[in-house]
Amino acid sequence: MSLIKPLARRALLGAAASLALAATLPALAQETPVKFQLDWRFEGPAALFLVPAAKGYFKAEKLNVTIDAGNGSGGTVTRVASGTYDMGFADLAALMEFHANNPTAPNKPVAVMMVYNNTPAAVLALKKSGIAKPADLSGKKLGAPVFDAGRRAWPIFAKANAVKDVAWTAMDPPLRETMLVRGDIDAITGFSFTSLLNLEARGVKTEDIVVLPYSQYGVKLYGNVIIAGEDFLKKNPEAVKAFLRAFTKGVKDVIADPKAGVATVKERDGIVNADLELRRLKLALDQTVLTPDAKAEGFGDVNAARLALMASQVSDAFASKERVVATSVWNAGFLPSVTDRSIFKK
């Protein structure tokens, strides 16, 4: 009897341990993996996504989110469409183009949250060129990478401002601002908060730079959105809602303390210049997130008429195979409540 009792006790303890382990497995299984790709490198604006990850907001929503740098919105859209990534951050025009040129493609990504309510695309020139307004661009030499959002949307800007006879030069992104400084081209297109700081880094004084933001010259295009693949949306609708809740919480933190947000970016990529990226982040927030349009429409949401107009403009400017259908690229059904998305000071 004395031998049986210890054996029975060990058996009972072993069974209890097995039950305890089994009880924890469902909790672990509930954590949904999400592969997310940015539109560009780890720069100041990436804080909007890295902060909620670093603070555990995604984990609190039972999400296991991995965030990778990107190399352009077009690439991000394609990789989400292929299933390599579940979600991403990309220019809405690039998403529209993909839909219109690939109407039968499976797993077409869908925009589920507006982040850059106004496109950051702009024309930049040096004051010494004599360019001070859009009309001055007629007959000039412009340069940008072929995939640049501003270059792709140039026909919309040109039509709105009656600019004609522009000659384009293509180059890799690192050469864009360098060629402008050297005088190889008269002006460039690019994201304002990127090209402005890149020009300054090449020794150009801020007061010697002319910036013509598309949004201030008749072009009401939306900018970057959070996208998700069709398959992921169907299989994990609650995970997408959870992602957007955690993201919105992180956005509020970044707005409240941009410096801390940039510190999070530097933790991810130690070579970034914190002071430079802080300026970039603040410019991005002021020019694309905390705008009058975003306040009027509500952070994260869109205006249906404005979205339809953009769809028509992109169809024309990009000469897409089919017309862009605005309702096919946008789904507001996963957004947090209006109250939760309130990021503006009252």
Side-chain angles (χ1 to χ4, degrees):
M1 291 292 291
S2 59
L3 179 62
I4 294 174
K5 285 182 178 180
L7 289 174
R9 189 180 299 114
R10 283 197 293 271
L12 286 171
L13 289 172
S18 297
L19 287 172
L21 177 61
T24 64
L25 289 176
L28 292 173
Q30 289 174 9
E31 194 170 83
T32 305
V34 181
K35 290 192 66 179
F36 188 92
Q37 183 167 60
L38 298 172
D39 62 327
W40 199 238
R41 298 184 289 260
F42 292 118
E43 296 181 336
L48 296 172
F49 297 95
L50 296 179
V51 165
K55 289 194 171 185
Y57 296 162
F58 292 128
K59 284 287 185 182
E61 293 281 2
K62 294 184 172 60
L63 302 177
N64 181 13
V65 178
T66 55
I67 301 171
D68 293 334
N71 59 356
S73 289
T76 298
V77 172
T78 301
R79 292 183 191 104
V80 173
S82 72
T84 305
Y85 285 87
D86 305 305
M87 300 179 70
F89 188 50
D91 181 55
L92 181 57
L95 176 66
M96 287 181 168
E97 181 183 27
F98 182 88
H99 271 249
N101 284 340
N102 302 276
T104 61
N107 196 41
K108 288 192 291 292
V110 178
V112 292
M113 188 171 199
M114 178 59 60
V115 182
Y116 290 172
N117 187 282
N118 297 94
T119 177
V123 178
L124 294 94
L126 303 183
K127 281 188 178 179
K128 65 182 181 181
S129 68
I131 296 172
K133 56 186 183 299
D136 299 329
L137 294 166
S138 291
K140 301 295 185 181
K141 292 187 294 184
L142 269 69
V146 292
F147 58 81
D148 174 70
R151 178 169 179 175
R152 300 305 312 281
W154 171 257
I156 303 171
F157 181 89
K159 182 178 180 180
N161 296 281
V163 180
K164 299 178 181 179
D165 303 322
V166 165
W168 282 96
T169 297
M171 75 286 289
D172 290 332
L175 292 176
R176 171 173 31 197
E177 291 79 17
T178 299
M179 290 182 69
L180 179 61
V181 174
R182 286 195 318 220
D184 298 333
I185 47 182
D186 301 307
I188 60 174
T189 59
F191 277 11
S192 54
F193 54 75
T194 296
S195 288
L196 175 64
L197 298 183
N198 288 348
L199 285 170
E200 291 180 6
R202 285 158 177 76
V204 183
K205 295 180 180 179
T206 307
E207 58 267 26
D208 293 331
I209 302 171
V210 176
V211 183
L212 305 175
Y214 278 29
S215 61
Q216 293 179 23
Y217 289 94
V219 180
K220 299 294 288 183
L221 298 178
Y222 286 110
N224 282 35
V225 291
I226 293 176
I227 64 175
E230 253 177 337
D231 291 346
F232 191 76
L233 283 173
K234 290 176 183 177
K235 296 175 182 177
N236 303 282
E238 294 307 313
V240 175
K241 292 178 182 178
F243 183 98
L244 298 184
R245 283 195 301 268
F247 169 75
T248 303
K249 190 175 180 181
V251 169
K252 292 178 181 179
D253 288 354
V254 173
I255 292 171
D257 193 349
K259 189 173 182 179
V262 169
T264 302
V265 177
K266 190 167 180 62
E267 288 175 7
R268 181 62 187 264
D269 186 348
I271 68 170
V272 303
N273 181 315
D275 291 337
L276 182 70
E277 296 311 323
L278 179 58
R279 284 193 62 205
R280 195 189 311 275
L281 174 58
K282 288 181 176 179
L283 285 170
L285 291 174
D286 290 342
Q287 295 172 7
T288 68
V289 179
L290 301 173
T291 67
D293 286 328
K295 188 172 184 179
E297 297 174 10
F299 173 68
D301 209 347
V302 301
N303 174 278
R306 184 179 164 196
L307 183 70
L309 174 60
M310 178 176 174
S312 178
Q313 290 175 321
V314 167
S315 299
D316 293 337
F318 291 23
S320 55
K321 291 180 180 178
E322 296 192 1
R323 304 293 294 179
V324 178
V325 179
T327 53
S328 296
V329 301
W330 172 257
N331 188 334
F334 302 89
L335 288 173
S337 69
V338 174
T339 301
D340 288 343
R341 288 184 284 113
S342 178
I343 64 171
F344 295 91
K345 295 180 180 178
K346 296 181 181 179

